[in-house]
Amino acid sequence: MATAYVLYNNKAGDSNALESVKVLEIIINDQLKYIDVSEVSDYRIFITGLEKDDYIILAGGDGTLNRFINNIEGIEFDNEVLYFPNGTGNDFAHDLGYSKECNPFPINKYIRSLPTVTVKNKTYRFINGVGYGIDGYCCQVGDELKKIPGKRINYTSIAIKGLLFHYKPTNAKVTVDGKAHTYQKVWIAPTMNGRYYGGGMMPTPQQKRNSDKLSTMIFHNSGKLKTLMIFPSLFKGEHIKHTKQVEILTGNEITIEFDRPVALQIDGETIHEVSSYTATMSKASVIK
């Protein structure tokens, strides 16, 4: 009998993550073994210890996915990986047409070929997108608020307060496949592998997952009030109508440099004080 190893993130979504994933006992007929991802010290040992018919159910949000894809880098295996989205934003699942806490669905084909982003001389794989600017700022503030017991995080509220009072736009140089572009007063400059990030925002509506190119959106040359007017349309992808403030570029390698360091987020995981990043579409297969 096959065993399903449920890797859950005790910090994703609800505070009692283990109880929230036990609904799988109604859905899955195989034996279930629950493992907190924080307790997996060596993924190579864990994965090579699986039997041929065993499989993994990854339960959590986009941050959990991000840590998983980076932890399995360079490990080849044939076992099936299913995803049970029960995080906060669940942008990856949303992009594929799945809802929160839907039946687990297979994701092997989506984690075979993933882009990378290099930040501060360290390279990470990412599954949704890299946010740079006020979106990174929102993640930074959200991380601080999470330290307060019982505090609910409202990223929309953080973004609005940031736009009005706290966050100042930057100037940017964006280089796509060797061609440089310069922009003034840049609020956000994400580079995307999928369509969604940040809990439902759609900065690059035409980006196709598993494409051979990445898309970057530059929101620029806009004052506070104009930015506040346009910002909500990001959730429907209608911001692209504002061609004076929004430009989308596509390419295989995208480097973005700001004229001052700001926070950056990779699938919701925050890195502070970043002056530049380079995102590259890599076609190296991880799971054969």
Side-chain angles (χ1 to χ4, degrees), residues 28-43:
I28 305 297
N29 294 323
D30 295 317
Q31 178 182 358
L32 296 175
K33 287 190 177 180
Y34 300 97
I35 302 175
D36 187 336
V37 291
S38 65
E39 297 175 359
V40 183
S41 58
D42 190 320
Y43 273 80

Side-chain angles (χ1 to χ4, degrees), residues 203-218:
T204 56
Q206 303 304 315
Q207 175 65 24
K208 296 191 185 325
R209 190 172 292 277
N210 283 8
S211 166
D212 61 351
K213 293 185 182 297
L214 299 168
S215 297
T216 191
M217 185 272 284
I218 305 96

Side-chain angles (χ1 to χ4, degrees), residues 202 219 228-242:
M202 197 185 339
F219 193 137
L228 273 172
M229 290 173 60
I230 298 173
F231 198 81
S233 63
L234 271 163
F235 288 90
K236 293 185 177 180
E238 295 177 352
H239 60 292
I240 60 175
K241 297 177 183 177
H242 301 272

Side-chain angles (χ1 to χ4, degrees), residues 5 38-39 57 70 73 81 100 102 137 145-146 162 186 189 203:
Y5 287 84
S38 65
E39 297 175 359
I57 299 178
N70 281 286
E73 184 176 8
V81 181
K100 182 175 181 177
C102 62
Y137 161 84
L145 292 176
K146 287 176 184 176
V186 175

